[in-house]
Amino acid sequence: YGNFIDDLRLYVRGGTGGMGYPRLGGEGGRGGDVWLVARERTTLKSIRDRYPQKRFVAGPGANSSVKALKGEKGKDCEVHVPLGISVLCDDGKQIGELNAAGERLLAARGGLGGSLATNFMPCKGQRRIVRLDLKLIADVGLVGFPNAGKSSLLSKISHAKPEIANYAFTTVQPELGKIMYTDYKQISVADLPGLIEGAHANKGMGHKFLKHVERTKQLLLVVDISGFQLSIKTQFRTAFETILLLTKELELYKEELLTKPALLAVNKMDLPCAKNNWNELMEQLQNPQDFLHLLQEEMIPANTLEFKDIIPVSTYTGEGIEELKACLRKSVHEEAEQENEEYRKKKLQLLQTSVEEQMNR
């Protein structure tokens, strides 16, 4: 993964409470809390670089005294984390998520100050190891086997500058790009490391890749029109077989991924054999059930993906790039409208319910 980090373990500890004052019944201040706060332009790498010990401890509560019978609360400790973080205990149980800037999550609570209930002795703060698990948030996630041309496509449609080469695994870390339209509308696109057969079982980059697909709103499958072969030891796959295998990998990892809106970009249309392969692929996609026998039974997905649009493109000549950008925008806009409509309906339903309850009173 190079310099990109999407998983980080931290030690967090709430502050110890302050001492009570037995003679006058004074209460010590509560220990400070450790909070995780979502901030834009923050990365897990910046946390690791800035705090190599990865220890975060809140301040202790003030002791009770004659001047201040109620001790002051200890200073809270805030840790700025990126958006799209799942916070897990060391045993893997999820504590919460931080998806929007400004969202806060209590990671470790401070201890109570000494009081009559505790025999005026303070309590220690909560201490634990938490794991920050990053899943990239993007409007569109590029999904495809290595060398399908995802990095080239991202560089054509957005301002991202991913590394591009003619060997299989060019992308070794996720790349985020933004498509900028003339009316200043922006769509974020994530190019994710190439899948290989068996990724759902954590082969290759396996789960490190697939977990990032979860947070993308839509999928853009990118396939090579001439087919794909990872190495001379692996079997050659046609464009149609590639689509089915990608679908199977997504399905085996998490079935809900197939409910996301999906588009298909058929790349390398500048190749000599592209026209014949395109006609064959379109025929196969219109009646996929008639061609499932081409694959072994265990590689056939239970459900095939329904593509909103199928766009032939060539990152070499620029063919279809503008059409693809327009289709992505239309698809993202339609999805946002649908979400807004569902939100409006829910709000209306809640309003009607509260009105009916008031009338019944």
Side-chain angles (χ1 to χ4, degrees):
Y1 254 44
N3 285 328
F4 182 80
I5 300 173
D6 58 5
D7 199 303
L8 194 66
R9 289 170 84 240
L10 308 177
Y11 171 82
V12 290
R13 193 179 86 211
T16 306
M19 289 288 289
Y21 201 119
R23 197 151 56 91
L24 298 174
E27 280 185 28
R30 248 193 64 193
D33 304 317
V34 180
W35 291 88
L36 302 178
V37 185
R39 279 279 171 92
E40 287 177 353
R41 297 188 183 87
T42 303
T43 64
L44 292 182
K45 184 179 181 295
S46 67
I47 298 172
R48 191 193 65 178
D49 292 348
R50 197 170 172 191
Y51 308 99
Q53 301 293 323
K54 295 177 285 186
R55 286 173 60 89
F56 297 91
V57 180
N63 295 335
S64 172
S65 65
V66 176
K67 289 180 182 176
L69 287 178
K70 175 78 175 166
E72 280 190 25
K73 185 178 181 290
K75 192 179 178 186
D76 287 348
C77 172
E78 287 192 355
V79 187
H80 295 157
V81 298
L83 278 56
I85 285 282
S86 292
V87 185
L88 311 163
C89 289
D90 221 19
D91 60 3
K93 189 180 173 188
Q94 186 165 310
I95 303 166
E97 290 188 347
L98 296 164
N99 294 322
E103 281 188 4
R104 297 163 67 83
L105 182 77
L106 184 62
R109 192 179 291 282
L112 292 170
S115 65
L116 185 63
T118 64
N119 205 17
F120 299 99
M121 295 302 289
C123 299
K124 287 184 176 177
Q126 185 182 14
R127 62 178 72 194
R128 58 180 169 183
I129 302 282
V130 293
R131 203 177 94 231
L132 307 183
D133 192 26
L134 174 69
K135 293 173 186 174
L136 290 176
I137 298 174
D139 295 314
V140 180
L142 300 186
V143 179
F145 283 137
N147 232 10
K150 300 192 307 302
S151 297
S152 304
L153 188 62
L154 184 69
S155 67
K156 284 280 181 188
I157 62 176
S158 76
H159 293 280
K161 298 282 181 284
E163 185 188 335
I164 297 162
N166 60 358
Y167 50 85
F169 282 104
T170 308
T171 309
V172 290
Q173 62 186 52
E175 288 274 358
L176 267 177
K178 272 196 163 54
I179 306 176
M180 306 283 282
Y181 293 91
T182 48
D183 60 354
Y184 304 108
K185 166 78 178 166
Q186 295 182 16
I187 289 176
S188 57
V189 184
D191 171 24
L192 306 155
L195 278 169
I196 61 168
E197 287 178 43
H200 69 277
N202 222 4
K203 284 186 185 173
M205 293 187 181
H207 292 176
K208 267 196 176 293
F209 159 81
L210 285 162
K211 72 171 188 178
H212 291 298
V213 184
E214 291 179 50
R215 289 268 172 89
T216 55
K217 294 173 188 170
Q218 309 209 358
L219 304 179
L220 174 61
L221 267 70
V222 185
V223 298
D224 185 333
I225 189 61
S226 60
F228 168 70
Q229 188 174 19
L230 185 63
S231 71
I232 50 168
K233 293 177 185 174
T234 57
Q235 203 173 330
F236 173 80
R237 303 291 185 194
T238 64
F240 177 68
E241 289 171 342
T242 303
I243 293 165
L244 291 181
L245 284 167
L246 285 170
T247 308
K248 184 69 176 175
E249 288 302 333
L250 294 171
E251 180 183 272
L252 288 170
Y253 176 70
K254 201 169 258 190
E255 235 174 301
E256 301 92 86
L257 293 178
L258 298 187
T259 61
K260 289 179 185 283
L263 291 89
L264 175 65
V266 183
N267 194 17
K268 307 191 183 178
M269 288 300 292
D270 52 284
L271 296 175
C273 59
K275 211 73 188 154
N276 293 336
N277 289 351
W278 168 260
N279 294 333
E280 188 185 338
L281 177 62
M282 292 312 288
E283 188 187 334
Q284 290 168 328
L285 287 173
Q286 276 164 6
N287 302 293
Q289 301 303 322
D290 300 346
F291 299 94
L292 293 181
H293 64 273
L294 297 170
L295 279 172
Q296 293 163 344
E297 201 172 324
E298 67 271 14
M299 292 181 172
I300 299 168
N303 300 294
T304 49
L305 272 170
E306 292 288 325
F307 296 110
K308 292 178 84 172
D309 289 294
I310 301 172
I311 309 105
V313 298
S314 166
T315 53
Y316 182 71
T317 63
E319 177 197 339
I321 297 296
E322 289 306 314
E323 189 192 341
L324 175 61
K325 284 165 75 171
C327 287
L328 285 172
R329 177 171 181 165
K330 181 168 168 270
S331 181
V332 169
H333 178 72
E334 283 172 0
E335 208 54 35
E337 281 295 305
Q338 202 174 323
E339 276 180 25
N340 289 341
E341 189 57 39
E342 283 170 15
Y343 178 74
R344 281 196 290 268
K345 279 179 184 173
K346 272 186 189 172
K347 278 283 189 190
L348 192 63
Q349 211 171 350
L350 284 167
L351 191 66
Q352 285 169 344
T353 311
S354 64
V355 168
E356 282 168 15
E357 282 173 0
Q358 284 174 357
M359 286 173 74
N360 290 335
R361 280 176 198 165

